[in-house]
Amino acid sequence: MTESILSSHQADPANRARLRWRSRRGLVENDIILTRFLDAYETELTDEEVDALTRLLDLSDNALMDLVLARKEPEGEVDLPHVCALLQRLRIA
């Protein structure tokens, strides 16, 4: 196996558990949206999508909610194609 496969999100249960734990948010709306999204798609997320979700989870609850509800569009460090693509999936989840 190559190193990238060994270190991938899907290959490491600890990484998956950590991502799910980080998805638990102070705003119940964020928590519900993220939990539903992970329940539906966690097992098929690529490492690039995990990176995008991790970048979104680094935001404050209010900033994340504004993006998910399309009240704002990504700026700065989260204005990346793979983050925008995952955000679109979150918005319809």
Side-chain angles (χ1 to χ4, degrees):
M1 286 188 178
T2 66
E3 185 175 324
S4 64
I5 292 173
L6 290 174
S7 63
S8 78
H9 170 75
Q10 294 300 343
D12 187 346
N15 282 345
R16 291 175 62 184
R18 191 175 305 113
L19 183 67
R20 190 167 281 271
W21 178 255
R22 287 199 64 215
S23 295
R24 295 186 51 102
R25 306 301 290 209
L27 283 176
V28 71
E29 294 87 349
N30 279 339
D31 195 31
I32 291 169
I33 291 167
L34 292 168
T35 298
R36 285 182 183 167
F37 179 79
L38 287 174
D39 287 348
Y41 302 109
E42 179 182 18
T43 59
E44 62 191 55
L45 290 176
T46 66
D47 288 340
E48 185 173 71
E49 290 169 326
V50 170
D51 177 70
L53 184 55
T54 299
R55 290 173 185 268
L56 291 172
L57 294 175
D58 286 341
L59 299 172
S60 70
D61 281 338
N62 290 330
L64 178 58
M65 180 57 54
D66 285 343
L67 289 174
V68 170
L69 295 180
R71 293 188 281 212
K72 293 186 177 179
E73 292 301 319
E75 298 176 343
E77 294 180 8
V78 294
D79 189 12
L80 300 167
H82 70 294
V83 176
C84 293
L86 184 81
L87 184 57
Q88 289 303 317
R89 289 182 67 190
L90 275 170
R91 287 176 175 171
I92 60 173

